[in-house]
DNA sequence: GGGACTGTAAGATATCCATCGAACACTCGG
DNA sequence: CCGAGTGTTCGATGGATATCTTACAGTCCC
């Protein structure tokens, strides 16, 4: 539980989750997100999201594509994903 | 939103919230919680919870008593408080 | 096979934050 | 007024973590 809450307490990771939520499963490679960090940090953030059970990854040729684990996450932490996806703009405002 | 999520990503603060949820409003002074930190750190944690809008404080003679702002917090972050109060033991397990 | 591209791993740095100890402000009861 | 009790503030410290740079491991295409 602390793992999930910490994973979700980062502006970069929230943006990743939101972008991922707005795309179909397995359509977004790691490099396709517009976040202001280098690829090493990005890789780290995906690792954290994976560790929290929020994101699943799969190799597809040279790229690694992602999927938001909606159902699994909802079962373990009911309402948390919905909370993150609502209220757009609240992140940047703080 | 990040403020609230960060506030809630700490084992000491989660314990405070849960203990507070199990008590009537304005019945718990700051020193009445069984957490393994000194009073300076405890004061800091209450400050964070206050800043996140989760807790309200009031002076009552020499003591400072607390109240969980259930309705207000539920309105701003639907489902988050319920998530924290459910699944006892999940914090210690991580 | 040699580049281009994508992502990870390792090491270094820097910042944030949880904690503590000590000093201070306040209230109450002798 | 003084001491006990309660909580805050300040400065310092240590640990976690977000970030970068560089180097490496893949895959694909020419």
């Amino acid at each position: 539980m602390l793992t999930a809450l910490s994973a979700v307490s980062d502006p970069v990771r929230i943006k990743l989750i939101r972008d991922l939520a707005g795309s179909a499963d397995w359509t977004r490679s790691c490099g396709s997100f517009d976040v202001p960090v280098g690829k090493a940090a990005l890789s780290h953030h995906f690792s954290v999201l994976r560790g929290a059970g929020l994101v699943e990854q799969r190799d597809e040729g040279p790229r690694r594509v992602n999927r938001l684990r909606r159902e699994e996450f909802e079962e373990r932490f009911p309402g948390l994903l919905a909370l993150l996806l609502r209220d757009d703009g609240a992140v940047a405002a703080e």
Side-chain angles (χ1 to χ4, degrees), chain A:
Chain A
M1 169 147 202
L2 275 174
T3 305
L5 289 173
S6 304
V8 132
S9 313
D10 180 281
V12 172
R13 290 194 287 265
I14 289 191
K15 172 142 184 51
L16 293 178
I17 292 169
R18 288 179 170 177
D19 284 8
L20 216 37
S23 314
D25 285 3
W26 309 123
T27 60
R28 304 292 303 263
S29 70
C30 292
S32 73
F33 296 85
D34 181 29
V35 285
V37 297
K39 55 180 187 173
L42 189 57
S43 182
H44 161 69
H45 285 304
F46 273 109
S47 161
V48 172
L49 291 176
R50 222 183 312 126
L54 243 176
V55 164
E56 191 176 2
Q57 298 186 316
R58 185 169 72 182
D59 281 346
E60 198 163 90
R63 299 179 307 153
R64 182 157 291 189
V65 289
N66 300 277
R67 169 192 163 248
L68 198 56
R69 304 183 64 189
R70 299 171 179 271
E71 298 76 11
E72 301 90 327
F73 199 74
E74 177 65 20
E75 186 183 356
R76 290 182 53 204
F77 309 104
L80 185 50
L81 185 55
L83 181 64
L84 299 174
L85 298 184
R86 107 185 218 290
D87 202 22
D88 275 88
V91 174
E94 303 190 67

